[in-house]
Amino acid sequence: MGKWKKLGIGGLGIVVTLSLLFFFTGTLQTKSQQGKLPKGAEEIARARGLSPQDIEAALKTYVPTGKYDEYIMFSSGGHSGQILVIGVPSMRLLKVIGVFTPEPWQGFGFGSKESGDILKAGYMPVGKDRTLTWADTHHPALSETNGDYDGQYLFINDKANSRIAVIDLRDFETKQIVKTPNMISDHGATFVTPNTEYVIEGGQYAAPIPFSNYAPLEEYKEKYRGLITFHAFDRKKGRIDESRSFQIELPPYWQDLCDAGKKESYGWAFCNSLNTEMATGGIEEGKPPIEAGASQRDMDYLHVINWKKAEEVVRAGKVKEISGIKVIPLETAVSEGILYFIPEPKSPHGVDVAPRGDYIVVSGKLDTHTTIYSFKKIQNAIKAKNFEGKDPYGVPILNFNDVVEAQVEIGLGPLHTQFDDKGNAYTSVFIESTIAKWTLGEPYNPKEKAWKLVEKIPVHYNVGHLVCAEGDTVSPDGKYCVSLNKWSIDRFTPVGPLHPQNFQLIDITGEKMQLLYDMPIGIGEPHYVQMIKADKLSPWLVYPEVGFNPATMSKSDTAPLPGKEKIERKGDTVEVWMTAIRSHFNPERIKVKEGDKVVLHITNIERARDATHGFAIDGYNINLSLEPGETSTVEFVADKPGVYPFYCTEFCSALHLEMAGYLLVEPKK
Ligand code: K7E
Ligand code: CUA
């Protein structure tokens, strides 16, 4: 009771709120139920110490059994190298997609040749130990058509090794990993151009080109360079086409986030940079540390890149080929009018293009403003050759005052911005731990409403990115935002010194933003998330045909089919064609000799939804997940003699434990 009094709300308030809410939701129910509160609802709320606001929030997030979420979020899985799929508003975790990291449940990287080949394609091109089994995933990007999510593909980057992955949203599986040539780290990735012509990957830490070309830090200014890669995407094949991809050489500033222009600014891309000071540290020799050296200047440079022009230059062959990819040299980028700089304030981080493509919003981590540039003004300045000078590498610098449209005082440490359908922008404010809502200027809002801070809501704590429903597309939905908080401090039951991250769901439909729900994320550190209307996705419920190979997205010629199961020996190779159906494998005895190569094809011949079978061989680090219709291949050398049961790892049926067999590896004499 005391708690209620303290809140100054009292029982009446709850009853009123509950009645109103149930009256509202009641309109969807039968007449007899209308307006009726379930018996004891008030007592439950009281016993659990729920305020009327809590109850309202609960009603807005609760998704009853059998009902689906309205939105789906695709979240970076951070260091896990995976993607998290989360429903909104329920904040239920629906799936973890293995991307750069082996994922045992999906059998991704645990013996299937198909997934092994995908992972291996992303290993390092140099060095003895090429294997990579983790990634620092940052920015997922859904494929777009005319600047809107089309629900077909998903991309994500690995900041740690400069890699890009392609996920097909028909089966939510990773299809391709590309180790980007020449680059060793990235950050401005992945961002797609409005028709997914290219997946943009901006670099981060400057290095020689290629990074394996050693050069001492003393030669930083001469030998180190930045890079941005435009990975050409072949939508028909669902793969990045490396032969059509290209890179643009940039000065050795640390390029940061990027965004693609759209509508009005179609054909252009925008990337932040930091460390235009070109600091490389050296505390060992009494020099200032990197973070101090890199924040001396008040301004860094927004990179304004004409990728349409770059395409022409590539077609005209004005490129160098380095490590098998076409690279536009820095001088060419300058002389061909591909690259321009705009000063941007203090330690810039996020760059986000407004829905109509007319404004570019930049936030400086050490600034209190968001700075808004006008694309029209940028174009005019470029046409008039109105430059305030050149950087040391000859890149023309536009005059800040010529191209800036507005600055909005937001709060300390603004990072990333998203948009809604009502002409508002939402910016995450890291140092303050808030989400700031502010208005865009014309044509989004009439003059008197333009460029103004509207409201701030505290979040818990240290927000990085935020996402709003389709909030980085040409047609944002509004409705929900989610604040992706790095710290959760006091929000959850303690689970040791490594705390979960905190995704906070915010309702943005009302006058005031309303915090609805905290979702702890036990997989860190997610950076960016995109939120798509669920009905834009149309994933398969089972694979379309029996014998379907997800790696090629087609029916496989080698897929074992019912009645065609067999074991064949050719020299030292034993090839097995096996089927799986509740509740047996066929064949169920495989006899080989120590040192034999075993090639095993397995098809799950089920057509029922959810009837997945696993296939594990004890002692051989093999585990597959075979969804209905799926076929997969395992290749291994039976180098360990002995008796190795194999079994189904999914509790598929009452006789699941009996779904097993024996691999007998007869020792050499
Ligand atoms: Cu701000 Cu990598 Cu987009 Cu983290 S980044 S927060
Ligand atoms: Cu199939 Cu268990």
Side-chain angles (χ1 to χ4, degrees):
M1 258 329 264
K3 206 171 178 189
W4 292 96
K5 289 258 165 66
K6 240 187 266 160
L7 286 165
I9 289 154
L12 189 64
I14 320 159
V15 176
V16 171
T17 306
L18 276 172
S19 313
L20 278 174
L21 287 162
F22 277 94
F23 179 76
F24 178 69
T25 50
T27 54
L28 299 169
Q29 298 165 359
T30 60
K31 260 219 159 127
S32 61
Q33 289 174 300
Q34 242 178 44
K36 265 194 192 168
L37 259 173
K39 251 195 205 156
E42 195 192 328
E43 288 87 286
I44 294 168
R46 200 183 292 276
R48 298 198 63 215
L50 302 178
S51 71
Q53 290 89 333
D54 293 337
I55 295 160
E56 192 186 350
L59 290 174
K60 284 181 174 178
T61 57
Y62 180 65
V63 176
T65 185
K67 293 268 171 20
Y68 294 173
D69 278 298
E70 188 183 359
Y71 286 91
I72 297 293
M73 290 200 292
F74 291 96
S75 171
S76 137
H79 310 64
S80 79
Q82 300 161 335
I83 295 248
L84 313 177
V85 186
I86 298 163
V88 175
S90 75
M91 304 303 272
R92 295 180 293 195
L93 177 66
L94 300 173
K95 192 162 204 172
V96 176
I97 307 174
V99 185
F100 295 105
T101 307
E103 204 290 324
W105 183 41
Q106 289 152 17
F108 185 70
F110 287 92
S112 93
K113 188 178 174 314
E114 295 83 2
S115 65
D117 287 348
I118 291 167
L119 279 164
K120 268 182 221 148
Y123 289 170
M124 294 302 285
V126 290
K128 257 195 219 151
D129 182 11
R130 302 172 69 244
T131 310
L132 294 172
T133 52
W134 81 287
D136 186 8
T137 56
H138 274 236
H139 306 101
L142 287 153
S143 58
E144 294 180 11
T145 301
N146 297 325
D148 246 326
Y149 301 152
D150 54 37
Q152 293 184 359
Y153 295 96
L154 180 67
F155 309 94
I156 192 154
N157 70 312
D158 166 20
K159 169 172 167 150
N161 309 290
S162 187
R163 296 186 291 169
I164 300 290
V166 181
I167 295 135
D168 193 320
L169 293 177
R170 283 174 291 181
D171 65 354
F172 283 53
E173 286 196 2
T174 302
K175 302 298 170 187
Q176 187 186 22
I177 298 175
V178 172
K179 167 69 201 97
T180 308
N182 300 323
M183 290 167 64
I184 184 60
S185 65
D186 71 26
H187 197 203
T190 53
F191 295 90
V192 298
T193 53
N195 287 307
T196 323
E197 299 95 333
Y198 294 99
V199 182
I200 300 175
E201 183 188 22
Q204 177 102 85
Y205 305 115
I209 302 176
F211 60 87
S212 50
N213 267 4
Y214 174 82
L217 283 168
E218 286 68 31
E219 296 171 16
Y220 185 88
K221 288 179 185 170
E222 303 78 45
K223 299 265 176 77
Y224 286 50
R225 288 295 177 267
L227 270 178
I228 182 170
T229 305
F230 290 81
H231 295 273
F233 185 61
D234 184 333
R235 195 188 283 262
K236 258 210 189 120
K237 289 194 182 137
R239 299 287 185 278
I240 284 168
D241 178 357
E242 291 172 86
S243 71
R244 287 194 299 116
S245 303
F246 63 89
Q247 297 182 317
I248 304 173
E249 185 190 353
L250 302 170
Y253 311 141
W254 292 355
Q255 283 77 29
D256 202 37
L257 288 204
C258 301
D259 200 3
K262 49 197 169 208
K263 291 201 156 172
E264 201 178 317
S265 51
Y266 177 80
W268 293 74
F270 308 92
C271 296
N272 279 325
S273 64
L274 57 147
N275 196 16
T276 46
E277 295 85 352
M278 297 186 272
T280 57
I283 43 175
E284 308 79 1
E285 293 151 32
K287 291 185 187 154
I290 292 181
E291 91 261 24
S295 343
Q296 282 161 18
R297 304 181 59 205
D298 281 334
M299 294 281 190
D300 290 293
Y301 296 128
L302 176 65
H303 293 39
V304 179
I305 297 169
N306 186 341
W307 64 259
K308 271 281 165 196
K309 183 82 201 169
E311 259 185 343
E312 285 170 29
V313 167
V314 170
R315 254 183 253 128
K318 297 175 194 167
V319 291
K320 280 187 208 160
E321 182 132 343
I322 308 175
S323 320
I325 189 168
K326 296 176 189 81
V327 182
I328 301 177
L330 183 50
E331 315 84 71
T332 312
V334 172
S335 63
E336 295 283 341
I338 291 170
L339 178 65
Y340 301 92
F341 285 163
I342 302 175
E344 51 179 3
K346 207 80 194 165
S347 202
H349 186 51
V351 53
D352 299 283
V353 177
R356 295 169 191 243
D358 43 2
Y359 297 118
I360 299 120
V361 180
V362 167
S363 303
K365 302 190 291 284
L366 302 180
D367 194 19
T368 55
H369 300 92
T370 51
T371 301
I372 299 100
Y373 301 94
S374 149
F375 182 70
K376 229 177 246 125
K377 290 181 181 175
I378 293 172
Q379 290 306 298
N380 290 342
I382 290 174
K383 264 184 218 127
K385 296 203 172 9
N386 244 346
F387 307 131
E388 67 170 39
K390 288 180 173 177
D391 89 323
Y393 297 89
V395 183
I397 303 166
L398 308 184
N399 193 307
F400 179 80
N401 292 317
D402 286 350
V403 295
V404 75
E405 180 73 27
Q407 288 195 294
V408 182
E409 176 101 39
I410 293 287
L412 207 55
L415 295 187
H416 301 286
T417 300
Q418 294 261 309
F419 305 92
D420 72 5
D421 54 339
K422 299 185 183 70
N424 299 305
Y426 300 80
T427 299
S428 55
V429 192
F430 178 80
I431 298 175
E432 270 187 15
S433 291
T434 58
I435 299 292
K437 174 181 174 181
W438 50 281
T439 54
L440 296 166
E442 306 217 68
Y444 301 88
N445 285 295
K447 274 235 157 62
E448 71 276 8
K449 274 193 165 181
W451 312 121
K452 270 195 199 129
L453 179 68
V454 179
E455 189 202 353
K456 288 204 257 187
I457 184 174
V459 289
H460 304 275
Y461 303 84
N462 290 13
V463 52
H465 276 271
L466 80 165
V467 63
C468 302
E470 311 215 349
D472 61 2
T473 69
V474 295
S475 60
D477 285 5
K479 292 200 173 184
Y480 301 107
C481 293
V482 174
S483 172
L484 315 182
N485 307 320
K486 312 283 179 192
W487 287 14
S488 61
I489 313 176
D490 54 7
R491 293 291 106 168
F492 305 113
T493 310
V495 289
L498 182 59
H499 297 219
Q501 310 252 317
N502 188 7
F503 280 14
Q504 288 189 302
L505 177 66
I506 299 165
D507 177 352
I508 58 164
T509 53
E511 267 297 285
K512 296 234 159 247
M513 290 186 274
Q514 184 191 7
L515 184 65
L516 297 182
Y517 193 71
D518 285 16
M519 179 197 190
I521 297 281
I523 293 173
E525 167 201 345
H527 286 256
Y528 190 40
V529 168
Q530 285 188 331
M531 197 196 299
I532 182 175
K533 192 87 194 298
D535 61 16
K536 283 188 173 177
L537 299 165
S538 43
W540 291 331
L541 304 176
V542 297
Y543 279 107
E545 287 177 84
V546 170
F548 204 82
N549 177 358
T552 58
M553 290 301 246
S554 61
K555 193 174 165 174
S556 158
D557 300 337
T558 52
L561 295 173
K564 305 267 165 75
E565 298 91 345
K566 60 181 174 181
I567 301 177
E568 270 178 8
R569 171 181 284 281
K570 273 187 207 138
D572 290 341
T573 301
V574 177
E575 198 160 1
V576 183
W577 283 266
M578 180 186 274
T579 56
I581 190 166
R582 281 162 287 172
S583 304
H584 58 265
F585 294 110
N586 180 12
E588 47 189 26
R589 289 177 178 183
I590 305 171
K591 294 180 202 163
V592 301
K593 295 202 167 65
E594 182 183 355
D596 278 348
K597 184 180 174 188
V598 181
V599 181
L600 192 74
H601 312 276
I602 315 179
T603 306
N604 176 349
I605 59 175
E606 303 264 4
R607 299 313 287 145
R609 278 205 227 174
D610 247 335
T612 295
H613 298 287
F615 176 83
I617 305 179
D618 297 350
Y620 272 88
N621 200 36
I622 287 167
N623 183 39
L624 308 183
S625 173
L626 298 153
E627 279 79 66
E630 180 172 351
T631 193
S632 188
T633 299
V634 187
E635 288 181 10
F636 63 99
V637 177
D639 51 4
K640 289 174 277 216
V643 173
Y644 300 95
F646 57 83
Y647 72 102
C648 169
T649 49
E650 286 286 321
F651 208 109
C652 54
S653 57
L655 296 175
H656 150 78
L657 294 173
E658 290 80 352
M659 192 167 173
Y662 280 102
L663 167 71
L664 298 160
V665 185
E666 190 187 323
K668 274 185 184 149
K669 297 269 150 58

